[in-house]
Amino acid sequence: MAQLERALGDAIAAFNRGAYFEAAEMFETASHAAGNDHDLKALIVAFNRIAAALHLRFERGGRQASINLMSQAMLALDDLKPARGGVDVERLCVELAAYTEEVRATPRGERDGLKHRARIFLERRRAPKINRR
């Protein structure tokens, strides 16, 4: 379990510094190590979805796929509130809901140009963080 805790901590650190692709891979590995702890596994899978969504949004300009992944993660996290695995799930859900609504408000076809790059820059600064308790 100590190894899983360390792996999860490393994945959260990668996520919080904006290395979303790396974090998604690390969460994937950690989810396999969670074994029969269904709540912890659900938490880690939700983190993986959020990391994948943010990677798609920031590196590929994806909009709808990011919204879908974040929505799926929010549904899974809802059952894990207020905290699970040492993580403030309640706060994450609030931040994720606000961020998802921000992405929903963006124009559907915008993927290029200065306006898009500026929006992505600002979104990256407001992206949710995973806070430990």
Side-chain angles (χ1 to χ4, degrees):
M1 195 60 150
Q3 184 178 6
L4 174 59
E5 180 65 28
R6 188 170 39 256
L8 188 54
D10 291 346
I12 290 171
F15 180 94
N16 285 340
R17 73 173 176 271
Y20 300 115
F21 186 80
E22 177 185 351
E25 289 180 333
M26 296 167 81
F27 286 133
E28 181 74 27
T29 302
S31 74
H32 296 299
N36 292 330
D37 188 336
H38 298 292
D39 283 351
L40 184 58
K41 191 172 204 135
L43 181 68
I44 295 168
V45 168
F47 292 165
N48 183 323
R49 286 186 175 140
I50 299 166
L54 294 175
H55 171 73
L56 285 171
R57 181 68 180 156
F58 297 137
E59 302 304 325
R60 307 227 175 135
R63 182 184 173 278
Q64 192 58 51
S66 294
I67 291 168
N68 293 347
L69 285 166
M70 290 185 289
S71 297
Q72 291 169 6
M74 283 189 288
L75 285 172
L77 291 172
D78 200 46
D79 293 336
L80 303 173
K81 291 177 186 173
R84 195 71 94 225
V87 172
D88 188 345
V89 176
E90 185 80 38
R91 180 176 174 178
L92 177 60
C93 285
V94 168
E95 289 180 13
L96 189 58
Y99 182 76
T100 302
E101 287 309 309
E102 184 176 334
V103 174
R104 276 186 217 278
T106 62
R108 289 185 187 265
E110 183 182 279
R111 293 182 82 147
D112 296 315
L114 183 59
K115 196 177 215 178
H116 176 71
R117 288 194 306 271
R119 178 177 285 114
I120 293 296
F121 175 80
L122 292 173
E123 283 182 20
R124 187 179 284 276
R125 302 209 35 124
R126 291 192 287 263
K129 301 282 188 230
I130 299 172
N131 297 289
R132 308 216 55 185
R133 284 190 159 182

